[in-house]
Amino acid sequence: MANELQGQRIAFLMATEGVEQVELTDPWAAVEKAGGKPTLVSTETGQIQAFDHLDKADTFPVDAVVADVPAADFDALILPGGVANPDNLRTNEAAVKFIADFFTEGKPVAAICHAPWTLVEAGVVSGRTLTSFPSIKTDITNAGGTWTDHEVVVCAGGPNTLITSRNPGDLPAFCSTLVTQFAAAK
């Protein structure tokens, strides 16, 4: 991964707290290594509080507030997991619209762990095949999606490419796949 994403602006959307730190930092590093420009988008200004499972980890500065930036400003979207992060995001109208707009605009989206909860809320999983943390399986199938248990799933059967993974153990496959798929979509 050298310059596959050169010139691409990649949004990382998360709530002000609850994101699983490694699900933010590993994809962020992969995007930077591939020449992309990651942007931390959140529901408020300031900083977000990341977690290592249930323990507080590091804080990260917010680059943009989701209500103030359109999906059109970005080439792709990454949705890190953690339990509280997507649960908080799915109650934020601007965040849900931001996610849905990537699908409407045909831009690639990558989501890991519990992050597909936000995809369910955005109404974009019907007819799609994806994976997630196993506890989200029923939510995905109830929303019309097909859930499968694989380390990374790429679904091109919709208006955009959707990349999903189950948990932090899948991060190497998730990161390399999202770089490849984001590069191919440009």
Side-chain angles (χ1 to χ4, degrees):
M1 293 187 265
N3 289 310
E4 297 98 315
L5 301 181
Q6 191 66 42
Q8 287 197 36
R9 189 167 179 210
I10 312 299
F12 281 72
L13 177 62
M14 59 212 79
T16 56
E17 65 177 17
V19 69
E20 184 69 30
Q21 182 162 315
V22 70
E23 293 175 0
L24 162 62
T25 57
D26 283 14
W28 188 283
V31 166
E32 284 186 323
K33 185 175 180 182
K37 182 182 183 325
T39 302
L40 196 155
V41 180
S42 189
T43 56
E44 297 176 20
T45 60
Q47 295 185 329
I48 62 121
Q49 174 66 61
F51 281 75
D52 181 10
H53 303 291
L54 299 177
D55 298 322
K56 284 187 176 181
D58 298 323
T59 59
F60 298 88
V62 173
D63 297 315
V65 175
V66 69
D68 299 335
V69 293
D73 285 358
F74 301 94
D75 297 294
L77 172 63
I78 296 176
L79 298 166
V83 178
N85 174 53
D87 196 40
N88 287 326
L89 282 178
R90 66 189 182 141
T91 65
N92 183 289
E93 189 176 309
V96 172
K97 181 184 181 320
F98 186 74
I99 293 164
D101 287 349
F102 278 85
F103 287 77
T104 301
E105 295 174 17
K107 295 178 178 184
V109 173
I112 188 167
C113 199
H114 288 79
W117 256 345
T118 61
L119 302 176
V120 169
E121 193 66 34
V124 297
V125 301
S126 184
R128 304 302 294 265
T129 300
L130 59 156
T131 194
S132 67
F133 195 77
S135 65
I136 310 300
K137 176 182 178 179
T138 301
D139 298 306
I140 290 169
T141 57
N142 285 344
T146 300
W147 188 87
T148 185
D149 186 13
H150 292 91
E151 72 176 352
V152 67
V153 175
V154 177
C155 178
N160 66 337
T161 300
L162 176 61
I163 303 111
T164 53
S165 284
R166 304 169 297 194
N167 57 54
D170 297 338
L171 279 165
F174 181 70
C175 291
S176 65
T177 302
L178 72 85
V179 167
T180 301
Q181 292 297 319
F182 288 2
K186 189 62 179 158

